[in-house]
Amino acid sequence: MQLSVIILNYNVRYFLELCVLSVENALKNIDSEIIVVDNNSQDGSCEMIKTRFPNVKLIQNNQNSGFPKGNNIGVAEAKGEYLCILNPDTVVAEDTFEKVLAFAKNKNDLGIVGVKLVDGTGNFLPESKRGIPTPWVAFTKIMSLYKIFPKSNLFNNYYAQHLSENQTGKVEILVGAFMFLKKELYQEVGGFDEDCFMYSDDIDLSYMVLQKGKSNYYFHETTVIHYKGESTNKDAVYMKRFQEAMEFFYKKHFQVSFLFSVFMKIGIVFFSMLKRVQGRAKTKIPPENYLLVSASKTLSEIISLVVQKKVDFLDWEAEKEVNLLSNSIRNGLHIILDNEFVSFKECIAIHERCKNKGVFFRIIPKNANFSIGSDSPNDRGEIVKLK
């Protein structure tokens, strides 16, 4: 078997459904398997997988075992030569895995491959590619020096700014939302360190792979949506775990002075408090305008009844051109993409092409009765039932 996709889920049932649907479509031409590991969700996630995706291997844990252990459990059952560790709040294109596999097979020094990640508004997520958070690099991050001096090699290592978002190349650290590597290598480094509950586990795995003499790569030729806010509820528990995770990484890999440890502790607390503020739910203003991109005029009428507003219609089967959306865009517009007719690759392309134009996006998964999306990487997403 070529590839095993491991998806660790915890209480994100609707995002998981969207994710697994996109992964199934992307694996049609690959000898592969999907393994969903559920960390004791209470939202019907497991029932949904059993009903809608009977061919998916489901592992049900009786407790929330954390990100590292949950993924290690999934990998232990994997039969693929390659692994993809994938977050449940992601959407992959139909050709994502084919492209990444082809890239990986041409690398003799293959470590981990990461891809271009965008949020639910189509904006690039800079954590798609990062440098090792050495004490100095962490300092430049906490003090935002990388923003003040973005072109300086001295300050721009945290987000690997030697590469642009549209440039493939070697990087040091990749994000756990999408990590593609050989199973043999994963096992050689011992997988995710289960002493770290979450938040520095991907940094640690990336770093251990580098220590084996392998190279990690950022691959920009495929884009994956990562809604992000679904993976992390930025409350007091988040602050505590984020702080513990960074302390874990430094104690494991770096010898630092007591003075620097004190500084880092202060910085970590400040940074995690900032994340908590960013993660607070914001008051959402109901949209005034809706545009359904589909080939079903009837669906626009159904949605209109649900949202109690007129829903404009763009016949994607007749037009099938991203540029035509520009004529309909206006501030506050909610673009609803019907996956029955709009492929996941096209959905992602529309997100990227229409970003920063004051519009918001929702996807209706094929054969589903809900729309789903997120308006910020810091907020929980929105699910609207259509029936």
Side-chain angles (χ1 to χ4, degrees):
M1 183 177 288
Q2 280 187 291
L3 175 61
S4 298
V5 180
I6 314 296
I7 305 170
L8 179 65
N9 177 68
Y10 180 64
N11 285 332
V12 287
R13 175 247 184 271
Y14 293 101
F15 282 90
L16 176 65
E17 182 173 348
L18 175 64
C19 174
V20 174
L21 181 63
S22 74
V23 172
E24 268 199 342
N25 288 347
L27 293 177
K28 284 183 177 178
N29 300 320
I30 300 172
D31 182 17
S32 59
E33 64 180 349
I34 303 171
I35 300 174
V36 171
V37 182
D38 186 80
N39 267 350
N40 199 29
S41 295
Q42 303 298 312
D43 64 348
S45 291
C46 294
E47 291 74 12
M48 179 275 296
I49 290 293
K50 291 174 185 177
T51 301
R52 178 153 194 193
F53 304 104
N55 293 326
V56 168
K57 182 166 188 176
L58 175 64
I59 300 172
Q60 294 179 250
N61 293 331
N62 57 13
Q63 62 181 354
N64 184 357
S65 305
F67 184 88
K69 186 173 182 178
N71 277 296
N72 289 343
I73 289 171
V75 171
E77 298 295 322
K79 298 181 176 67
E81 178 186 359
Y82 293 89
L83 305 171
C84 182
I85 306 298
L86 187 69
N87 267 31
D89 55 347
T90 56
V91 180
V92 302
E94 283 78 2
D95 59 358
T96 289
F97 295 120
E98 291 178 2
K99 285 184 173 181
V100 175
L101 263 171
F103 176 80
K105 288 178 179 178
N106 285 326
K107 298 299 177 184
N108 296 324
D109 61 345
L110 183 70
I112 304 173
V113 181
V115 298
K116 182 179 180 181
L117 300 173
V118 299
D119 64 20
T121 68
N123 283 291
F124 176 67
L125 291 170
E127 61 267 27
S128 300
K129 52 182 181 66
R130 291 174 290 175
I132 299 169
T134 61
W136 169 250
V137 171
F139 175 79
T140 64
K141 163 65 176 175
I142 290 170
M143 302 305 293
S144 295
L145 296 176
Y146 71 98
K147 292 181 180 178
I148 301 170
F149 307 103
K151 298 190 181 300
S152 169
N153 292 333
L154 188 62
F155 302 115
N156 67 8
N157 288 324
Y158 189 85
Y159 286 126
Q161 287 163 283
H162 66 286
L163 292 178
S164 74
E165 64 182 83
N166 294 317
Q167 183 180 7
T168 294
K170 292 183 180 182
V171 295
E172 293 168 326
I173 305 298
L174 295 162
V175 65
F178 187 109
M179 302 183 92
F180 186 101
L181 71 163
K182 283 194 170 184
K183 181 182 178 182
E184 181 182 21
L185 177 60
Y186 187 96
Q187 293 173 323
E188 185 180 347
V189 299
F192 287 110
D193 191 327
E194 294 180 14
D195 288 335
C196 179
F197 189 83
M198 62 192 312
Y199 302 127
S200 70
D201 30 49
D202 49 3
I203 299 174
D204 182 61
L205 184 67
S206 298
Y207 188 70
M208 289 192 295
V209 165
L210 293 177
Q211 290 179 313
K212 291 292 182 180
K214 303 296 185 179
S215 297
N216 296 330
Y217 290 90
Y218 167 71
F219 179 68
H220 85 280
E221 294 180 31
T222 187
T223 301
V224 170
I225 296 174
H226 180 205
Y227 290 107
K228 191 177 176 180
E230 294 309 303
S231 306
T232 306
N233 188 7
K234 297 176 177 62
D235 54 14
V237 175
Y238 167 85
M239 289 175 61
K240 182 175 182 293
R241 288 179 179 164
F242 181 83
Q243 180 177 333
E244 289 173 347
M246 293 308 297
E247 289 175 343
F248 163 84
F249 182 74
Y250 281 108
K251 286 178 181 178
K252 181 175 179 178
H253 296 294
F254 296 103
Q255 296 293 324
V256 295
S257 68
F258 173 76
L259 182 63
F260 185 83
S261 296
V262 171
F263 170 78
M264 282 304 301
K265 192 173 185 67
I266 294 170
I268 289 168
V269 170
F270 170 78
F271 186 61
S272 53
M273 286 180 68
L274 177 63
K275 285 286 188 181
R276 185 184 180 191
V277 170
Q278 290 176 339
R280 287 176 180 166
K282 299 175 179 63
T283 302
K284 292 187 178 182
I285 301 173
E288 289 294 323
N289 303 296
Y290 292 87
L291 173 66
L292 173 66
V293 181
S294 176
S296 172
K297 180 73 172 176
T298 304
L299 182 58
S300 66
E301 297 168 359
I302 294 172
I303 297 173
S304 180
L305 290 173
V306 173
V307 300
Q308 296 185 327
K309 289 184 184 293
K310 181 178 182 298
V311 176
D312 294 326
F313 175 70
L314 189 152
D315 189 342
W316 188 249
E317 204 164 65
E319 307 292 352
K320 215 156 196 174
E321 176 54 60
V322 174
N323 290 331
L324 289 176
L325 284 172
S326 300
N327 298 327
S328 303
I329 285 177
R330 49 201 180 276
N331 195 53
L333 176 69
H334 273 230
I335 299 176
I336 305 170
L337 304 166
D338 181 5
N339 178 234
E340 181 75 33
F341 304 100
V342 186
S343 71
F344 285 114
K345 185 173 182 177
E346 290 167 336
C347 287
I348 295 168
I350 290 169
H351 278 63
E352 289 195 276
R353 291 287 294 274
C354 300
K355 67 183 178 183
N356 298 325
K357 294 184 178 180
V359 300
F360 304 97
F361 306 97
R362 298 293 182 267
I363 296 175
I364 301 175
K366 187 175 181 179
N367 297 326
N369 65 348
F370 62 90
S371 68
I372 190 166
S374 176
D375 301 337
S376 165
N378 298 311
D379 291 343
R380 287 277 183 184
E382 181 183 71
I383 296 100
V384 175
K385 297 289 188 67
L386 301 180
K387 293 180 183 178

